[in-house]
Amino acid sequence: MEYDCFGDSPPLEGSPWCGELLPPALGQAFSKILCGLARPESRRGKTRNTALQDLSALLETSEFNGLFVGRDTPLRGTPEVLGQVARALEKFASPPREPDRRSDRHSEVAEKAVEVGLLFLKLLGKVEAAKNSFNCHAWKMGLHYMAGPIYIFAVTHTLVQPWTSPNSQDIAGEVLTLLLRVTECGSVAGLLHGENENEKGALNVILELLKPDLNKESWKNNPATKYVFSWTLQQVTRPWLNQYLERILPPSLLISDDYQTENKVLGVHCLHHIVLNVPAADLLQYNRAQVLYHALFNHLYTPEHLLIQAVLPCLLDLFPVLEKALHWNGDGARHSTYCDEVLQLVLTHMEPEHRLLLRRTYARNLPAFVKRLGILTVRHLKRLEQVIIGYLEVYDGPEEEARLKILETLSLLMQYTWPRISCRLVVLLKALLKLVCDVARDSSLTPEPIKNALLEAATDCMILLDHCSQGQVKDLLAKIPQSCNDSTVVNCIIRVQQASEDTPFHGT
């Protein structure tokens, strides 16, 4: 509701929270406080500080206590006024827009948050005291309008962000804890979706409050909004989330479509949570799943390892939804799937990639693609062979994450596509033997447990390769122990030979 409060004195006549709605004294006090908090920064002066002091004093007066306690019905307009005050306080403590990243502004926001948090603690304390009175309707109505802004304030300043300080985080945490206690909710999730099936939670109100700051033109005006939205979204799971799909999907897509990697990652995490917690039928309706797929697929062209790490697991969880209606009747070749399309692009990017962080990210997710496609991985066997051999040759630092994941991929690949492996025996065996020799001669800072894990995985792959080739590996390695002086390499070969003898080949 629009009102002018930029003059020298706040308007009292005709104000929606005075006159017949509230007693004149309270109406005038609330109007003065709201107008003081609403002044623009350039004209603020000491008005806002005075408004906070006035509100603190008002909370201590007997007139304010009468808003809840000892009345059969609340004063007309009181709940709405308290909601307006809570909203104004939340806006007062909000951080400046993103371009203004000066540290002094951030410390000023943290100081404001402490002041506002203490006021919210007082306000919620009044509501909690009113719960013990006979007037249940009054405090419930007031809390209904206040809970949304207070929740947004608490989440904004509880999270570790540039505009928070340890003190402001502690105060905001106390506010959230008291809010849960006053609303009789056991958790934030219960507050958002309701503690039982018949009870409506506060999520709808909170999303309505966030909506003006979550459109294309305004979502960067308040840098906290995206974090509040994302954190709130993560708290709501099945079976409640699908009720809000129309309200949470557009902002998630908007955030993920930004040019900044940080925002893209945040948006993708929101989309992933939606994929995991909304039924497939709802995602398939109106081609929502297709929209999600294309939005995620386009991110694969961005060479940012944090973004790729967020996108690939999300796509892997989206594939079952997209391919839910695809059934193979056995009367011809299976059609290419979305997973095929993504894996083809990933392999294209993996082969020439030289940046270690991206190599590790791709390698980390490759086993999941092989598991997803199963025997259909044979379509990508040639490309996978090139990637596997190339990645096994490159030292990946002390943790050797990329090579360990590539060995896991090779193991899965041989298990799923074993009839096609024997023709690649020599190439794969050379790559594995070279890896064993490199690790045995490695004098770098790689920890011994990592070296042992690499040798163990490489040896297991050679054993699998021997089974896939009907014992040919054992024959090819037979003369190496006689001419090799490295005990580590010899031990690996002996283990392959013993495993082949203990489990004769009868098919894989």
Side-chain angles (χ1 to χ4, degrees), residues 11 19 50 75 98 138 211 220 288 296 327 332 382 389 444 469:
T50 302
L75 293 173
E98 288 186 337
K211 185 177 179 180
K220 287 192 175 183
R288 294 187 185 110
L296 293 167
H327 299 285
K382 186 175 181 180
I389 293 172
S444 67
S469 61

Side-chain angles (χ1 to χ4, degrees), residues 46-175:
K46 297 182 179 180
T47 307
R48 288 190 175 183
N49 294 332
T50 302
L52 294 179
Q53 295 171 4
D54 291 346
L55 180 58
S56 179
L58 182 61
L59 288 172
E60 301 298 333
T61 62
S62 59
E63 288 82 359
F64 189 88
N65 293 339
L67 294 179
F68 293 126
V69 183
R71 298 178 183 271
D72 295 330
T73 58
L75 293 173
R76 293 181 58 195
T78 300
E80 292 88 343
V81 173
L82 293 177
Q84 291 277 356
V85 172
R87 184 65 170 159
L89 288 172
E90 181 266 315
K91 288 293 185 185
F92 171 72
S94 62
R97 51 182 298 126
E98 288 186 337
D100 193 352
R101 293 181 177 271
R102 301 200 314 268
S103 58
D104 58 329
R105 293 297 303 275
H106 288 155
S107 61
E108 182 183 343
V109 172
E111 293 172 2
K112 289 180 181 178
V114 171
E115 295 182 72
V116 171
L118 293 173
L119 288 173
F120 277 143
L121 288 174
K122 284 186 179 181
L123 189 56
L124 288 173
K126 296 291 184 182
V127 177
E128 188 175 33
K131 290 174 61 177
N132 300 321
S133 72
F134 298 102
N135 187 9
C136 297
H137 181 68
W139 69 263
K140 284 186 178 180
M141 285 295 295
L143 188 60
H144 171 76
Y145 285 93
M146 291 188 296
I150 293 176
Y151 169 86
I152 293 174
F153 163 82
V155 176
T156 298
H157 298 280
T158 301
L159 304 176
V160 179
Q161 294 294 342
W163 56 83
T164 62
S165 67
N167 193 17
S168 66
Q169 291 170 26
D170 291 341
I171 295 294
E174 291 179 25
V175 171

Side-chain angles (χ1 to χ4, degrees), residues 347 350-351 366 383-391 406:
L347 293 174
M350 284 185 75
E351 199 168 349
L366 200 55
R383 299 286 301 282
L384 276 167
E385 175 192 328
Q386 295 171 352
V387 167
I388 288 170
I389 293 172
Y391 273 57
I406 287 297

Side-chain angles (χ1 to χ4, degrees), residues 358-375:
L358 269 173
R359 289 170 67 90
R360 290 170 189 159
T361 302
Y362 287 129
R364 189 182 303 129
N365 293 277
L366 200 55
F369 279 90
V370 176
K371 290 179 183 177
R372 175 68 192 164
L373 286 172
I375 194 172

Side-chain angles (χ1 to χ4, degrees), residues 327-335:
H327 299 285
W328 183 52
N329 298 322
D331 55 355
R334 297 190 186 188
H335 296 293

Side-chain angles (χ1 to χ4, degrees), residues 202-505:
L203 181 58
N204 208 43
V205 174
I206 292 167
L207 290 176
E208 189 65 30
L209 290 172
L210 293 175
K211 185 177 179 180
D213 292 331
L214 281 176
N215 59 58
K216 188 175 182 180
E217 289 74 26
S218 66
W219 75 278
K220 287 192 175 183
N221 289 345
N222 183 350
T225 301
K226 60 189 177 186
Y227 297 110
V228 175
F229 171 78
S230 173
W231 192 86
T232 301
L233 176 63
Q234 302 288 333
Q235 309 308 308
V236 185
T237 57
R238 289 176 182 260
W240 299 280
L241 193 62
N242 64 306
Q243 304 171 30
Y244 308 95
L245 185 56
E246 291 294 335
R247 307 192 69 171
I248 60 176
L249 185 56
S252 300
L253 287 168
L254 176 66
I255 297 171
S256 72
D257 195 36
D258 191 49
Y259 68 94
Q260 292 179 310
T261 301
E262 176 190 358
N263 293 332
K264 288 181 180 180
V265 173
L266 188 67
V268 171
H269 285 317
C270 292
L271 296 176
H272 196 179
H273 185 77
I274 292 172
V275 170
L276 292 174
N277 291 280
V278 173
D282 292 315
L283 290 177
L284 290 170
Q285 195 174 21
Y286 307 121
N287 283 332
R288 294 187 185 110
Q290 290 280 357
V291 172
L292 285 170
Y293 173 74
H294 289 296
L296 293 167
F297 187 82
N298 289 336
H299 286 318
L300 295 177
Y301 291 98
T302 305
E304 295 286 346
H305 71 279
L306 292 176
L307 179 61
I308 299 298
Q309 181 52 51
V311 169
L312 291 179
C314 185
L315 282 169
L316 285 163
D317 288 321
L318 183 62
F319 291 147
V321 177
L322 291 166
E323 298 166 5
K324 194 175 182 64
L326 298 179
H327 299 285
W328 183 52
N329 298 322
D331 55 355
R334 297 190 186 188
H335 296 293
S336 178
T337 64
Y338 295 98
C339 188
D340 286 306
E341 185 179 18
V342 173
L343 180 57
Q344 183 176 359
L345 181 61
V346 167
L347 293 174
T348 299
H349 291 163
M350 284 185 75
E351 199 168 349
E353 187 56 62
H354 63 278
R355 287 162 289 193
L356 288 179
L357 290 176
L358 269 173
R359 289 170 67 90
R360 290 170 189 159
T361 302
Y362 287 129
R364 189 182 303 129
N365 293 277
L366 200 55
F369 279 90
V370 176
K371 290 179 183 177
R372 175 68 192 164
L373 286 172
I375 194 172
L376 295 181
T377 315
V378 73
R379 295 169 172 170
H380 310 276
L381 197 53
K382 186 175 181 180
R383 299 286 301 282
L384 276 167
E385 175 192 328
Q386 295 171 352
V387 167
I388 288 170
I389 293 172
Y391 273 57
L392 289 180
E393 292 177 349
V394 179
Y395 173 70
D396 186 45
E399 296 182 357
E400 292 281 18
E401 183 182 1
R403 290 209 280 195
L404 284 170
K405 286 298 180 180
I406 287 297
L407 287 171
E408 181 184 347
T409 303
L410 177 58
S411 176
L412 290 168
L413 188 65
M414 289 190 288
Q415 294 175 53
Y416 285 118
T417 65
W418 62 268
R420 297 287 189 91
I421 296 299
S422 58
C423 60
R424 294 172 166 81
L425 167 63
V426 175
V427 175
L428 293 176
L429 184 57
K430 282 183 178 179
L432 291 169
L433 281 174
K434 185 177 184 302
L435 173 63
V436 170
C437 293
D438 289 344
V439 173
R441 294 194 302 264
D442 184 13
S443 58
S444 67
L445 297 177
T446 304
E448 286 300 320
I450 300 297
K451 292 182 181 180
N452 294 335
L454 278 172
L455 294 172
E456 183 84 10
T459 304
D460 290 340
C461 284
M462 284 191 282
I463 293 172
L464 269 175
L465 188 59
D466 186 64
H467 288 303
C468 292
S469 61
Q470 301 184 23
Q472 295 183 52
V473 170
K474 182 179 62 175
D475 296 336
L476 291 171
L477 298 178
K479 296 182 180 180
I480 293 181
Q482 302 172 10
S483 57
C484 181
N485 297 324
D486 194 308
S487 60
T488 302
V489 177
V490 171
N491 289 336
C492 289
I493 293 174
I494 291 175
R495 189 181 150 208
V496 173
Q497 293 173 332
Q498 290 176 344
S500 301
E501 293 171 358
D502 294 340
T503 55
F505 177 79

